[in-house]
Amino acid sequence: MALVLTPQITEAGKQAAINADNNGVDIAITAMSFGAAFFDPVGNETALPDEFVRLDIASGGRVTPTQIRVAAVWNDDTGTYPIGCIGIVTGK
């Protein structure tokens, strides 16, 4: 079953998108991070609180002009954790 998330874009993410538009550089989603904390993001976060695992993106792509789909592989050896927050990690 798919889980639909509505992400909170941080100020750092917004700045990266503005720079990408100005420089003609695409932003690449490189990983997803998972943390135990439950919190309401305010936009100035630069890291996920209580991050316990970071997984490389295995596949993904644009579904519509405003929607993307990404997948990461959570192997058995990654462990079992209660997930409170998910972060999307970008790189160039």
Side-chain angles (χ1 to χ4, degrees):
M1 176 173 68
L3 175 64
V4 177
L5 303 173
T6 304
Q8 168 73 35
I9 301 174
T10 63
E11 291 302 320
K14 290 176 189 174
Q15 190 60 47
I18 290 169
N19 287 340
D21 284 344
N22 289 338
N23 297 328
V25 177
D26 288 333
I27 297 173
I29 297 174
T30 57
M32 293 174 63
S33 61
F34 299 85
F38 288 89
F39 72 105
D40 291 323
V42 296
N44 64 355
E45 294 82 11
T46 57
L48 211 58
D50 298 329
E51 180 180 324
F52 51 79
V53 68
R54 185 173 288 205
L55 303 173
D56 291 337
I57 296 300
S59 65
R62 186 179 302 272
V63 178
T64 70
T66 59
Q67 183 183 30
I68 60 167
R69 181 177 294 142
V70 295
V73 178
W74 189 296
N75 293 316
D76 288 340
D77 62 352
T78 303
T80 303
Y81 305 92
I83 297 172
C85 53
I86 300 172
I88 298 170
V89 181
T90 63
K92 293 182 181 170

